């Protein structure tokens, strides 16, 4: 689902976008609203409230497998039929969840509720991530739009004549390779063509998105929220306004480090491409940062490597070599002379075998911490490689199909470091699902959505150069201060660079929902935020015929995005706590929790709490603090910060405000 929306709302599903996740929260105005006691109706009792919660839990138990099956099919077999199934499931789920969110207000004045029931009612009142109007026709329209936009994104492609003059169609992952520009030196024009091609896929859903936002707002307003953004911000056990302030506070902690990194990257790109392409004191063009959305710049590491030649940190080469060895093995074992079809089949088998091997690497880390092995059904039912015969939504996601152990991931795995990291990320969701499956369905979600996104990422922080060497993915690891700077640079290009992007995606959506960015300014508003936060600009002039936000999965997929911003801060807090539990005494960036039972136990204990209590309680139990805080990430990158300051001396950093 990604419907992420469903996140809170729903029941089940994918978290990658999680589906049904609910989050905690509290809405002041709801809490203060009078109980809806129609004249003549007896005031609800504690027992009524218990029954109400039990009914919602039962609905989820009874329906999650069926609904999840519809979403799974729609995303792993993109077709009109799949859209129909997904829309019908969403409609049903939204009808139930929206009605219950409204009904839950009846219990506002009931005294003496058990803590579990009070918590469950708070969660129900939040409403779905995709709040639906109560008018059935509008609800159906909303569900249809959601299914359509997601399918449209998943089926996006770029068709052009190839070298032989034949039409060739590239899907997103193939187009991304041109932009990622790893191990090649594509011409700027080629990169820009790829960027343009992908950004041409989204204008067809611009009108749909406008209507979708309108309908969700109507649903949110029926529930008593000002707009959908307020509903989304309400899921954090504090008021939406307090949450806003928290996000700003966290951003202000990390912004200076991002600006330093931006400064050095711009300088290197300016040297490489010249003033005409990358102005020395202006915005960096978005297509030259080694990522379709310029959200993480790790692919630029070879250009930024502080001390070249010290260590080999190139995990992708090792993964590709493993995959090629799989292929050669099959070729050697083949009897007779293979036809082109046989060769293609062997290529596919090698891809699939390598995808399983990479997933096993990630599983092994969790198992080393004392987590269970993944169930057989995970291996049998997950989608780990892009099928050759149909479109699927390749954007990675993790699924809890039935709230009792049928967990899967859907990811078009390729042999690259980025994909290996994403597998660890997705397994974080999977292990969260498994750890809280014993709870009532309403509590089967993250402490908040940022927790869910941070679990697997925390594990990736242990993939230090020393660890990667141990598992045979890099060699010649050097231990020195210079080697530390190298490795931190590589990490920061992903982990620090992500932060402004992680914040701005929902800044855009919140403004769209509130009307501050009107439909006639969707694209201009988007680039204004990208300039403000990332210091990045479009490669060529954009207009309101474009819909560049729609070229990022989470917009058509309606997955809230601030969760990732929070996760990128929280994962360092989690890692610090786990390393403390493991008795590790060195600098945080050297800590590898692999095989540490105590760290694993503490982590699992946190996961097992799900959303059964406010997230500050859960955070405190693991980390000793009740707030999210960027000091762990800043401490982690302290060596790099010093290096950047020194490198940037005398340079003019920053860019003009929009
Ligand atoms: O969407 C994801 C995950 C699924 S929850 C693959 N991520 C964000 C993105 O790709 O934009 C992980 C990091 C940020
Ligand atoms: Zn995720």
């Amino acid at each position: 689902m990604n419907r992420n929306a469903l996140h809170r709302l729903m029941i089940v599903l994918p978290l990658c976008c999680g589906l049904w996740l609910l989050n905690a929260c509290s809405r002041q105005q709801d809490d203060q609203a009078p109980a809806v006691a129609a004249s003549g109706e007896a005031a609800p009792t504690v027992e009524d409230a218990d029954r109400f919660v039990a009914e919602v839990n039962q609905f989820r138990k009874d329906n999650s497998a069926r609904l999840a099956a519809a979403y799974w099919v729609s995303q792993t077999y993109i077709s009109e039929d799949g859209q129909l199934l997904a829309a019908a499931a969403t409609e049903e789920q939204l009808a139930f969840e929206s009605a219950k969110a409204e009904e839950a207000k009846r219990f506002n004045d009931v005294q003496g509720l058990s803590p579990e029931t009070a918590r469950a009612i708070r969660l129900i009142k939040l409403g779905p991530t995709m709040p639906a109007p109560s008018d059935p026709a509008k609800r159906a329209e909303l569900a249809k739009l959601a299914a359509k936009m997601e399918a449209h994104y998943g089926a996006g492609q770029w068709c052009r004549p190839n070298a032989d003059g034949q039409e060739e169609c590239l899907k997103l992952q193939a187009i991304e390779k041109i932009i990622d520009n790893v191990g090649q030196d594509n011409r700027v024009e080629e990169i820009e063509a790829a960027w343009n091609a992908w950004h041409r896929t989204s204008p067809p859903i611009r009108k749909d998105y406008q209507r979708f936002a309108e309908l969700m707002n109507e649903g949110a307003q029926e529930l008593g929220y000002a707009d959908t953004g307020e509903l989304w911000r309400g899921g954090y056990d504090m008021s939406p306004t307090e949450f806003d302030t928290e996000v700003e506070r966290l951003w202000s902690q990390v912004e200076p480090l991002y600006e330093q990194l931006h400064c050095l990257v711009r300088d290197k790109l300016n040297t490489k491409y010249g003033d005409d392409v990358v102005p020395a004191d202006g915005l960096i063009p978005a297509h030259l940062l080694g990522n379709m959305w310029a959200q993480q710049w790790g692919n630029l590491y070879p250009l930024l490597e502080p001390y070249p030649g010290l260590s080999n940190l190139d995990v992708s080469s090792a993964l590709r070599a493993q995959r090629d060895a799989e292929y050669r093995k099959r070729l050697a074992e083949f009897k007779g002379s293979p036809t082109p079809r046989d060769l293609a089949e062997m290529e596919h088998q090698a891809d699939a075998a390598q995808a399983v091997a990479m997933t096993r690497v990630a599983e092994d880390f969790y198992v080393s911490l004392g987590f269970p092995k993944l169930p057989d059904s995970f291996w049998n039912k997950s989608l780990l490689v892009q099928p050759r015969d149909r479109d699927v939504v390749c954007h990675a996601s993790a699924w809890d199909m039935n709230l009792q152990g049928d967990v899967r991931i859907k990811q078009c795995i390729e042999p690259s470091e980025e994909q290996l990291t994403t597998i660890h990320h997705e397994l974080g969701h999977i292990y969260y699902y498994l750890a809280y499956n014993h709870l009532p369905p309403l509590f089967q979600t993250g402490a908040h959505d940022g927790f869910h996104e941070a679990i697997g990422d925390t594990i990736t922080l242990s993939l230090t150069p020393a660890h990667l060497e141990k598992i045979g993915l890099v060699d010649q690891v050097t231990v020195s201060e210079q080697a530390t700077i190298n490795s931190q640079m590589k990490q920061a290009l992903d982990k620090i660079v992500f932060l402004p992007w992680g914040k701005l995606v929902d800044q855009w959506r919140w403004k769209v929902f509130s009307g501050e960015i009107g439909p006639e300014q969707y694209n201009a508003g988007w680039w204004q935020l990208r300039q403000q936060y990332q210091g990045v600009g479009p490669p060529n002039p954009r207009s309101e015929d474009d819909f560049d936000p729609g070229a990022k999965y989470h917009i058509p997929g309606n997955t809230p995005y601030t969760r990732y911003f929070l996760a990128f801060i929280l994962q360092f807090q989690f890692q610090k706590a786990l390393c403390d539990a493991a008795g590790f005494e060195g600098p945080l960036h050297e800590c590898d929790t692999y095989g540490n039972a105590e760290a694993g136990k503490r982590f699992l204990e946190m996961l097992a709490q799900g959303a059964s209590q406010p997230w500050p309680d859960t955070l405190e139990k693991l980390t000793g603090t009740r707030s999210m805080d960027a000091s762990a990430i800043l401490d982690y990158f302290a060596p790099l910060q010093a290096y950047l300051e020194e490198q940037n001396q005398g340079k003019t950093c920053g860019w003009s405000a929009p």
Side-chain angles (χ1 to χ4, degrees), residues 427-448:
L427 291 196
H429 291 310
I430 294 290
Y431 278 111
Y432 216 157
Y433 297 146
L434 293 174
Y436 59 50
N437 266 175
H438 66 284
L439 295 173
L442 275 162
F443 296 156
Q444 290 198 34
T445 183
H448 67 48

Side-chain angles (χ1 to χ4, degrees), residues 15-16 425-426 429 453 564:
L15 220 329
C16 129
H425 175 96
E426 297 307 332
H429 291 310
E453 300 301 341
Y564 303 109

Side-chain angles (χ1 to χ4, degrees), residues 15-17 295-296 395-397 422 425-426 429 453 457 498 501 552-554 559 561 563-564 568:
L15 220 329
C16 129
C17 315
Q295 67 183 61
Q296 291 178 305
H395 190 86
S397 52
T422 301
H425 175 96
E426 297 307 332
H429 291 310
E453 300 301 341
D457 289 11
F498 183 81
W501 165 261
K552 175 67 191 169
Y553 169 76
H554 302 69
T559 307
Y561 211 83
R563 59 181 62 178
Y564 303 109
F568 273 63

Side-chain angles (χ1 to χ4, degrees), residues 58-166:
Q58 196 60 44
F59 176 88
R60 293 185 180 205
K61 271 195 194 131
D62 293 346
N63 295 285
S64 64
R66 184 173 52 81
L67 296 169
Y71 298 130
W72 177 265
V73 170
S74 74
Q75 295 201 17
T76 59
Y77 208 115
I78 295 180
S79 64
E80 280 183 25
D81 296 332
Q83 280 185 57
L84 231 134
L85 289 172
T90 301
E91 210 182 316
E92 178 185 339
Q93 225 173 337
L94 290 177
F96 181 83
E97 300 284 341
S98 296
K100 293 298 158 188
E102 184 61 37
E103 203 181 323
K105 294 181 191 165
R106 284 177 62 218
F107 303 103
N108 281 353
D109 287 347
V110 181
Q111 302 295 314
L113 296 179
S114 72
E116 294 76 36
T117 295
R119 173 95 188 140
I121 287 181
R122 266 172 113 73
L123 296 176
I124 297 167
K125 274 200 297 204
L126 280 178
T129 305
M130 194 190 298
S134 50
D135 173 347
K138 289 184 174 170
R139 188 163 61 229
E141 186 185 359
L142 179 71
K144 233 166 124 178
L145 285 170
K148 176 183 171 193
M149 291 192 297
E150 175 131 34
H152 179 86
Y153 183 92
Q157 57 180 1
W158 176 24
C159 297
R160 52 164 192 182
N162 66 13
D164 307 332
Q166 311 251 292

Side-chain angles (χ1 to χ4, degrees), residues 1 33 172 190 198 206 243 303 319 337 382 384 415 418 420 519-520 533 543 552 565 589 600 631:
M1 125 162 246
L172 174 59
E190 248 177 288
W198 181 248
R206 185 177 163 124
F243 180 64
L303 188 70
L319 294 170
S337 57
S382 287
L384 299 181
E418 186 179 330
L420 183 65
E520 68 297 339
Y533 285 102
S543 79
K552 175 67 191 169
F565 173 75
H589 58 264
S631 48

Side-chain angles (χ1 to χ4, degrees), residues 15 76 165 190 200 210 221 270 503 530 536 538 547 618:
L15 220 329
T76 59
E190 248 177 288
R200 271 197 304 272
Q210 181 184 335
Q221 282 152 11
N270 171 266
K503 181 167 191 286
R530 297 203 63 184
V536 154
F547 184 46
T618 306

